[in-house]
Amino acid sequence: MDLEFKNILQKYKDGKITEKEVEKLLKLSYIEDILDGTDGLRITNLDTNRRYRTGVPEVIYAEGKDIEDTISFLVKMYLKNNYAFATRLKKEDIKNPENLDKIKEMIENELSKQYTHNHNNENENELENCEIIINKRARYIYLINKDYAEKMQNMPKMGKVGILAGGTSDIPVAEEAKITVELMNCEVIQMYDVGVAGIHRLLKPLKLMIEKEVDCIIAIAGMEGALPSVVSSLVDVPVIAVPTSVGYGMKYTPLLTMLHSCSPGIAVVNLDNGFGAGSFAGLICLNSYKKRNDEF
């Protein structure tokens, strides 16, 4: 499966299409309209080439969407880019193993339908090359072409990101951040359950991340949300603070704590926004990599 963006450029290089046709095809390739089959109304625009324009891949936010629509969008993205990521599935859609088996079957059926429609039954073995990963705890679905995954493993990493989660209740947000960072071709070093309630647990993970020369650290915490401030006071890299809606009383407490931190070098994303933190970390790594390798 070729990435459409690169495929267009290759055709131009081979002299199969003109410069004018390239311009037209590239404009068309930016957005994928998804129509409602019942009345023909557009229900979404998929930004299939966002990663090549901004460095951050298009991700499907599934909360509030019907699972059928989420799967349709997910498969469209996969067929365009060799991978696709849908985050924040509704809890009722993945609450038990039977639901997960049903979702996997729906993905396989949709993949077969869309692939056959777009490729006229050619290379049907490509359908078996799609790995389906469903993370119940972090509530995401990830599709990846196995050949593409192998290719990504052999590519140089853009950088290293440390991820710290204060408690085990914060792990779902940490896992969302982790896969986002990995999607952006960065190495992840994660340590969980290192909150300030037992601050001695934090020292060894931080030492490891400093030794590994991470480009930045994502610090995720609920309750009072003090973890990012402590981390930032001990390291010389940017810290991305992620408050979670975990704790007693007001769920906004960790967000307010992080916004009012007295320790410099912290950027704060919204409650439970693992994807936003992962994207920010990935961009830090990407731009550092470009400068280290003179890729301006």
Side-chain angles (χ1 to χ4, degrees):
M1 237 185 321
D2 290 325
L3 295 172
E4 185 170 350
F5 188 80
K6 290 184 177 180
N7 196 29
I8 292 169
L9 296 179
Q10 186 62 49
K11 286 182 178 179
Y12 174 67
K13 183 179 178 181
D14 294 341
K16 296 179 180 178
I17 54 177
T18 65
E19 184 177 336
K20 188 173 182 180
E21 287 172 320
V22 169
E23 182 180 1
K24 178 181 177 181
L25 289 170
L26 288 177
K27 287 179 179 178
L28 290 173
S29 72
Y30 275 126
I31 298 295
E32 179 77 22
D33 284 350
I34 307 295
L35 303 178
D36 185 341
T38 58
D39 55 16
L41 293 176
R42 183 196 301 138
I43 58 175
T44 194
N45 285 324
L46 292 179
D47 193 351
T48 54
N49 279 318
R50 176 177 291 177
R51 180 171 188 171
Y52 300 101
R53 191 175 69 255
T54 70
V56 180
E58 171 84 311
V59 170
I60 298 156
Y61 184 74
E63 200 161 35
K65 293 182 175 67
D66 291 337
I67 188 63
E68 292 83 4
D69 287 339
T70 296
I71 289 172
S72 177
F73 305 158
L74 193 70
V75 171
K76 281 277 188 181
M77 288 295 298
Y78 171 78
L79 291 175
K80 287 281 186 179
N81 290 336
N82 287 324
Y83 65 90
F85 182 38
T87 186
R88 296 304 172 87
L89 274 77
K90 291 183 286 188
K91 291 180 180 179
E92 57 266 30
D93 286 334
I94 56 171
K95 62 184 177 182
N96 57 52
E98 289 78 13
N99 288 74
L100 301 185
D101 290 339
K102 182 179 178 182
I103 288 173
K104 185 174 181 180
E105 183 179 352
M106 291 170 67
I107 292 171
E108 290 171 345
N109 290 338
E110 183 68 19
L111 185 61
S112 179
K113 181 177 73 174
Q114 290 195 25
Y115 189 87
T116 301
H117 174 74
N118 291 320
H119 296 79
N120 300 317
N121 295 314
E122 294 178 4
N123 300 320
E124 290 187 7
N125 61 321
E126 191 72 50
L127 302 177
E128 300 175 3
N129 216 18
C130 177
E131 184 176 359
I132 301 171
I133 301 168
I134 303 175
N135 189 311
K136 182 178 178 181
R137 181 164 59 176
R139 293 163 49 201
Y140 69 70
I141 301 174
Y142 179 44
L143 306 184
I144 180 78
N145 177 277
K146 294 175 184 176
D147 293 336
Y148 180 75
E150 184 176 348
K151 179 181 176 182
M152 288 292 291
Q153 286 178 351
N154 295 326
M155 290 178 64
K157 299 299 179 186
M158 299 291 106
K160 298 176 184 178
V161 177
I163 299 181
L164 299 169
T168 53
S169 297
D170 303 314
I171 291 177
V173 177
E175 288 295 301
E176 182 180 80
K178 178 178 183 288
I179 193 168
T180 303
V181 170
E182 289 175 341
L183 265 174
M184 297 177 71
N185 197 30
C186 300
E187 181 183 343
V188 174
I189 302 161
Q190 79 263 25
M191 296 285 178
Y192 298 159
D193 199 21
V194 293
V196 297
I199 201 165
H200 59 284
R201 301 174 299 183
L202 178 61
L203 301 180
K204 188 174 180 179
L206 275 185
K207 182 180 179 181
L208 174 64
M209 290 179 183
I210 292 169
E211 289 173 349
K212 293 284 189 179
E213 298 183 330
V214 297
D215 294 280
C216 60
I217 294 174
I218 299 173
I220 303 163
M223 295 295 186
E224 86 290 352
L227 179 64
S229 293
V230 176
V231 172
S232 178
S233 72
L234 296 170
V235 299
D236 63 351
V237 297
V239 174
I240 303 165
V242 188
T244 64
S245 50
V246 172
Y248 304 103
M250 290 179 59
K251 68 177 182 178
Y252 301 108
T253 299
L255 173 60
L256 294 173
T257 299
M258 294 175 188
L259 287 172
H260 288 85
S261 174
C262 64
S263 183
I266 297 176
V268 186
V269 299
N270 209 344
L271 281 164
D272 300 327
N273 190 4
F275 170 71
S279 301
F280 191 13
L283 287 174
I284 290 173
C285 292
L286 176 63
N287 283 280
S288 295
Y289 179 84
K290 286 179 178 179
K291 290 179 180 178
R292 286 196 301 267
N293 293 274
D294 296 323
E295 293 181 8
F296 295 100

